[in-house]
Amino acid sequence: MEETVNQDRHINYLEIPVRAMAPTKAFFSQVFGWEFVDYGEAYSCFINAGINGGFTLSDHSFSLAKGAPLIVIYATQLTQTMAKVIEAGGDISQTIFAFPGGRRFHFKDPNGNEFAVWSE
């Protein structure tokens, strides 16, 4: 796992529910270059993602419509990243739009979880 410094009162880790581990790992590896360390069949830590976290098997998914927080990923090449999301089987839920500070799009991963990608 990547080396991190634990900081008092800082967000330290994300656990993301997924319905299927293999397609989830393939998607995030293909689109974002994340790597994984498996802890059994029901849990996999993601590394090289900018924050520590893991995928855990669950029947649940999250979205803004359900009141979930939005996990936002930064990408220097926004249009190319959106194309990679589509190519890897993601579903674009909001195409690229401007917001104060940059541009972004929203997508759903193969589990139906909603994420965003932004760039300046």
Side-chain angles (χ1 to χ4, degrees):
M1 297 219 344
E2 59 189 14
E3 187 76 24
T4 61
V5 176
N6 294 328
Q7 296 182 340
D8 189 32
R9 294 167 292 165
H10 283 220
I11 294 172
N12 182 258
Y13 199 86
L14 297 175
E15 288 194 344
I16 299 174
V18 298
R19 294 183 180 136
M21 196 64 68
T24 300
K25 290 168 42 181
F27 177 84
F28 283 93
S29 176
Q30 180 178 342
V31 176
F32 299 107
W34 295 3
E35 297 175 19
F36 303 92
V37 176
D38 295 335
Y39 293 94
E41 294 181 19
Y43 198 88
S44 185
C45 286
F46 47 78
I47 56 176
N48 300 327
I51 188 168
N52 290 332
F55 294 122
T56 184
L57 286 181
S58 172
D59 291 332
H60 302 285
S61 63
F62 59 85
S63 68
L64 289 176
K66 293 179 183 177
L70 182 63
I71 298 173
V72 183
I73 301 165
Y74 179 79
T76 57
Q77 303 292 320
L78 195 63
T79 304
Q80 292 88 335
T81 302
M82 188 169 78
K84 283 183 168 185
V85 166
I86 294 166
E87 181 182 309
D91 182 33
I92 303 301
S93 51
Q94 260 187 292
T95 192
I96 295 173
F97 64 95
F99 72 100
R103 300 178 311 133
R104 75 182 194 201
F105 68 89
H106 292 205
F107 71 91
K108 293 191 176 183
D109 73 2
N111 303 285
N113 292 327
E114 185 176 11
F115 294 81
V117 179
W118 85 280
S119 188
E120 282 99 2

